[in-house]
Amino acid sequence: MTSIKTPSTERPTPPDSAPAAALHTGTSDLRALVLNNLRQSGIYVALVVIVALFAILTDGVSLSPGNITNIVLQYSYILVLAIGMVILIIGGHIDLSVGSVVALTGAVSAVLVIQQGYPWWVGILAALVVGVAVGAWHGFWVAYAGIPAFIVTLAGMLLFRGLTLRVLDNISLSPFPAEYQRVAAGFLNGLLGGQGFDAFTLLIGAVAVAGYAVSGFRTRVARIRYQQPVESFPLFVARVAVVGAVIMYFAWQLAHARGLPIVLIVLAVLVLVYGLLTRRTVFGRQVYAIGGNLSAAALSGVKVRTVNFWMFVNMGFLAAVAGVIYSSRSNGAQPAAGNMFELDAIAAAFIGGAAVTGGVGTVVGAMVGGLIMAVMSNGMQLMGVDQSTQSVVKGLVLLVAVAFDVYNKRRAAGTR
């Protein structure tokens, strides 16, 4: 007898009822929630543990207002590079030349502003144009000539380091005018007053918390609408409260130091823009599709060459932004600038949950990965740990992060 299959009665939650359902739907099983999203939840736990560890080992110095400000200023350019790097890794590529591009763009800006006397903004624009041109160069060879990105960018690392030496004529140039230095060393302080603290910084922190809460609730509603698992509403409120407390503590510390760093505003804008680009646009979905399954993406109509080309143009642009920030902070351009920056950016992306094989990763995850590296480096410096030991620790952390990604894939496939 032929069995008759009854059609499924499960349907997406009606749009009008989804917001109401968001208040009553979800699970309180923390273990299940963590295991279902082990890659992302793991890095947040790791960040909290590392911050707490160094706070204890340094007697609270690592959480002082001045030190938190220094972390933002010292590692902002690595975080900028990590944004572009994680997009490339999601798409199945990598860029080994970003450190050399940072040096080249800073050198071009220094020659124009310091040597030839052009206004500071001309140097910034020239650096951005050079970065985009470098990205287009890489994109052409990868996307249209079919040469693997590893080889193209390895050649670029040597090529653009050599051009940096030519542009600077093997000498360092400094100093930049005060306006240029404000890009990486400037602060917004006193815009709204405050007795012993900067009220504007606290306001920006409060706006960030509100934005996080609204975005989280909208994501929750969307997941419920399509019957995807979510945490219970009390757990959601608890998560928002914890994240909000962390953000406000961070803002409070900055407000009691020198105010809101301008470079932090630049970084926040980039994170917001690229977070939306990767999650809410056709281009972002195509990047994930290419990294996840290149053949399927091509068969589904994705213009693989075009997307690959613009991924590298974007990386060149962000490398130029990092070059401007680094040259502004160092108040000059040096032939050896940007050395090993590519490895820090790659490490940030992988520690932040990007998959070695592509198709997986987030901008926020790369930021968390970068912060883990920044907190570790800063904490070890405060403790007086020598540079060789710091390199050993960073290498082990990167290895563990990649091993964790491999473990996740095997666990998902049901193998050991």
Side-chain angles (χ1 to χ4, degrees), residues 373-389:
M373 298 291 288
V375 171
M376 284 196 309
S377 298
N378 177 263
M380 288 188 288
Q381 288 171 10
L382 291 176
M383 294 172 61
V385 177
D386 60 86
Q387 191 64 42
S388 60
T389 303

Side-chain angles (χ1 to χ4, degrees), residues 52-333:
L53 175 63
F54 282 110
I56 295 171
L57 295 176
T58 61
D59 295 325
V61 175
S62 64
L63 294 180
S64 65
N67 190 63
I68 289 178
T69 300
N70 287 336
I71 290 176
V72 173
L73 298 180
Q74 290 175 5
Y75 299 97
S76 55
Y77 43 86
I78 297 298
L79 297 178
V80 171
L81 290 175
I83 295 174
M85 190 66 71
V86 75
I87 293 174
L88 280 180
I89 291 173
I90 292 170
H93 302 292
I94 203 164
D95 191 339
L96 301 178
S97 71
V98 292
S100 297
V101 179
V102 165
L104 177 61
T105 53
V108 169
S109 184
V111 167
L112 290 175
V113 177
I114 297 173
Q115 272 194 344
Q116 301 184 14
Y118 284 95
W120 62 274
W121 55 268
V122 172
I124 292 177
L125 288 178
L128 295 178
V129 169
V130 170
V132 170
V134 168
W137 168 265
H138 285 156
F140 168 78
W141 290 107
V142 174
Y144 296 103
I147 303 176
F150 182 89
I151 301 300
V152 171
T153 59
L154 179 61
M157 179 175 68
L158 302 173
L159 170 64
F160 299 120
R161 182 64 64 180
L163 286 178
T164 301
L165 296 174
R166 284 292 188 118
V167 170
L168 291 176
D169 198 20
N170 288 334
I171 62 172
S172 298
L173 294 178
S174 65
F176 280 107
E179 297 86 353
Y180 192 97
Q181 295 179 46
R182 278 180 57 82
V183 173
F187 295 83
L188 297 181
N189 198 336
L191 293 181
L192 298 179
Q195 297 296 324
F197 62 90
D198 180 45
F200 179 73
T201 302
L202 295 180
L203 175 62
I204 294 299
V207 170
V209 173
Y212 175 79
V214 171
S215 175
F217 187 78
R218 292 182 62 182
T219 301
R220 177 182 175 83
V221 170
R223 290 177 66 88
I224 290 173
R225 183 174 294 147
Y226 291 99
Q227 300 181 348
Q228 296 178 352
V230 295
E231 73 268 45
S232 65
F233 189 70
L235 282 180
F236 168 76
V237 173
R239 174 165 62 87
V240 172
V242 170
V243 173
V246 171
I247 293 175
M248 290 310 299
Y249 175 82
F250 179 68
W252 180 259
Q253 296 293 71
L254 291 178
H256 280 75
R258 287 175 282 178
L260 188 65
I262 292 175
V263 71
L264 181 59
I265 299 175
V266 174
L267 182 61
V269 170
L270 290 175
V271 171
L272 288 173
V273 170
Y274 282 96
L276 292 174
L277 178 72
T278 53
R279 293 185 292 112
R280 303 290 178 87
T281 67
V282 173
F283 176 80
R285 289 191 288 271
Q286 289 176 340
V287 170
Y288 279 97
I290 291 172
N293 191 322
L294 178 59
S295 300
L299 291 174
S300 63
V302 175
K303 296 180 179 179
V304 175
R305 289 183 174 181
T306 302
V307 175
N308 283 334
F309 176 80
W310 285 108
M311 275 195 279
F312 280 94
V313 171
N314 174 70
M315 184 71 256
F317 168 76
L318 289 175
V321 173
V324 170
I325 293 173
Y326 183 76
S327 60
S328 171
R329 174 163 175 74
S330 61
N331 193 23

Side-chain angles (χ1 to χ4, degrees), residues 337-354:
N339 188 34
M340 302 294 283
F341 281 12
E342 57 275 353
L343 299 186
D344 287 335
I346 293 169
F350 284 133
I351 292 173

